Amino acid sequence: MADAKVIPFDDDRARGARRTKRGALASVGEQASAARPARRDPRAERSRERPPGVDATPGGGRGPGAAARPGALERLLGDEWDRRAARGLSFLRRRLTGEYEVDDFGYDAELTEQVLMSLLRPVYDAYFRVEVRGIENIPADGGALVVANHSGTLPWDGLMLQVAVHDHHPAGRHLRLLAADLVFVLPVVGELARKAGHTLACAEDAERLLTRGEVVGVMPEGFKGVGKPFADRYKLQRFGRGGFVSTALRAGVPIVPCSIVGAEEIHPMLGNARTLARLLGLPYFPLTPTFPWLGPLGAVPLPTKWTIQFGEPIPTDGYEPEAADDPVLMFNLTDQVREKIQHTLYKLLVQRRSVFF
């Protein structure tokens, strides 16, 4: 026991004091470290800035969640580019193998939906910026005869009218336009017109379509309207002999007047080279501020602002079947439709702020 070393009580307190001092120094060091700004790690910051699912490895390699990062095709073609590509390939396969249907008038619904409407829609939405009013006046089902004014030197109004009915009608109805003979003798144009649902402007074809429950469009002014001088813009020409009224009476379908504003100014027709028109077999040869002076570029229409308004339908189902042969009734109904379209044209022109806006 003599060799045992006795630690005094004072030494224990000294060791505790030293521990306390070291703890205090550590606490001061931690506070100083907290006061100093943390060293920035650029790699860690870039990793935090990356969207979820993107690998943080150098060189932009793909990690487990890299599928969420849009690739070049997604950025160029959109999110569903693969589905659209699959639909396009399927469409081409059916075209090549002949696995598609057309009706007895030559109407190709698939081609119209996927190709023709897709080509016309940017012109409709972005170039002419068409505003549609009164589309609900076209019935949701059953036959109807849409009667519209015709203008513009080139028949852009018929095509825009077709897009308006297809894209804006709640039931997604398709307009079957009646076209002149000249349309169907032109190369390429005639075939495309058939595929788009257009048919010859004759009473027999129109009546067949109406009795089948189709929406049929007719522009009774014909070439007199589309080829009239710019000085006569928005002045309706003669509506023929009222054959469209007789057709509507026989089919018992309503007549929907339609007024189109904006088409008159796309190709201001300042003159008509009649001699050249006869040589080419055309109803007229337009002379505009740009055509034929600028060549093919002169055929590009001016970007006017359009308005298409469908009026209240005029019913015909209340007449007797023999009413279709009554010339007085046909004249009165034809004049009534014409006056409604003309009155609406004047009303829209008063409301219009500008030709182009």
Side-chain angles (χ1 to χ4, degrees):
M1 297 297 293
D3 295 333
K5 185 177 181 179
V6 179
I7 300 175
F9 179 72
D10 290 342
D11 289 345
D12 291 338
R13 286 184 299 177
R15 284 196 293 270
R18 284 196 296 270
R19 286 196 297 268
T20 303
K21 185 176 181 180
R22 283 197 297 269
L25 291 174
S27 176
V28 172
E30 291 175 357
Q31 292 177 3
S33 298
R36 290 196 301 269
R39 177 178 294 179
R40 299 175 62 184
D41 187 351
R43 290 177 298 177
E45 291 183 359
R46 285 196 297 269
S47 177
R48 285 194 297 269
E49 291 174 357
R50 288 187 178 91
V54 180
D55 190 10
T57 57
R62 290 184 176 270
R69 180 175 64 183
L73 287 175
E74 287 87 344
R75 290 194 297 268
L76 291 175
L77 304 178
D79 295 336
E80 298 185 353
W81 68 270
D82 51 347
R83 295 182 182 179
R84 287 197 292 268
R87 287 197 298 266
L89 292 175
S90 179
F91 172 78
L92 290 176
R93 180 187 60 80
R94 289 192 298 274
R95 293 284 119 184
L96 295 174
T97 59
E99 297 177 6
Y100 59 92
E101 296 180 357
V102 297
D103 67 6
D104 50 351
F105 291 93
Y107 171 49
D108 189 333
E110 185 184 40
L111 180 68
T112 301
E113 292 279 346
Q114 297 195 24
V115 179
L116 301 182
M117 284 295 170
S118 298
L119 293 175
L120 291 174
R121 197 168 285 120
V123 181
Y124 177 94
D125 289 329
Y127 197 77
F128 292 135
R129 296 147 291 146
V130 182
E131 177 186 355
V132 179
R133 304 177 184 177
I135 190 67
E136 66 278 0
N137 289 318
I138 298 177
D141 53 16
L145 183 65
V146 177
V147 182
N149 60 304
H150 204 12
S151 62
T153 306
L154 293 178
W156 282 100
D157 51 0
L159 299 176
M160 297 300 103
L161 184 62
Q162 189 175 10
V163 178
V165 175
H166 180 274
D167 285 3
H168 292 274
H169 196 277
R173 306 211 63 181
H174 183 73
L175 183 68
R176 308 290 295 267
L177 283 170
L178 303 180
D181 302 2
L182 177 63
V183 173
F184 300 103
V185 300
L186 294 175
V188 181
V189 175
E191 184 64 21
L192 288 177
R194 287 284 187 189
K195 297 288 187 181
H198 304 173
T199 189
L200 194 63
C202 65
E204 292 78 11
D205 285 357
E207 189 172 348
R208 285 174 58 196
L209 289 170
L210 290 172
T211 53
R212 281 170 30 173
E214 300 280 358
V215 179
V216 177
V218 61
M219 296 174 166
E221 293 176 282
F223 291 122
K224 299 187 301 296
V226 72
K228 64 176 173 286
F230 186 66
D232 294 335
R233 59 192 180 279
Y234 298 114
K235 296 178 182 177
L236 293 182
Q237 304 300 301
R238 184 170 170 267
F239 266 27
R241 301 175 183 176
F244 68 92
V245 171
S246 176
T247 302
L249 288 170
R250 294 182 190 278
V253 299
I255 300 174
V256 182
C258 177
S259 302
I260 304 174
V261 165
E264 294 276 12
E265 294 89 0
I266 61 173
H267 291 295
M269 186 169 164
L270 305 179
N272 180 14
R274 292 184 174 84
T275 303
L276 187 56
R278 284 195 297 269
L279 291 175
L280 297 175
L282 300 174
Y284 57 88
F285 190 91
L287 303 176
T288 74
T290 58
F291 184 82
W293 330 114
L294 299 182
L297 187 62
V300 177
L302 296 177
T304 58
K305 176 72 172 63
W306 288 34
T307 301
I308 299 178
Q309 178 161 334
F310 298 92
E312 295 184 2
I314 301 172
T316 63
D317 53 356
Y319 295 96
E320 298 294 331
E322 59 271 11
D325 299 322
D326 185 351
V328 176
L329 177 62
M330 283 200 305
F331 175 79
N332 290 336
L333 286 177
T334 301
D335 191 58
Q336 181 182 350
V337 174
R338 188 178 181 278
E339 287 300 320
K340 280 195 172 186
I341 296 174
Q342 184 69 81
H343 177 73
T344 305
L345 286 175
Y346 288 149
K347 184 178 178 180
L348 293 175
L349 288 171
V350 170
Q351 297 173 353
R352 183 170 68 168
R353 294 180 304 167
S354 168
V355 174
F356 299 100
F357 304 102

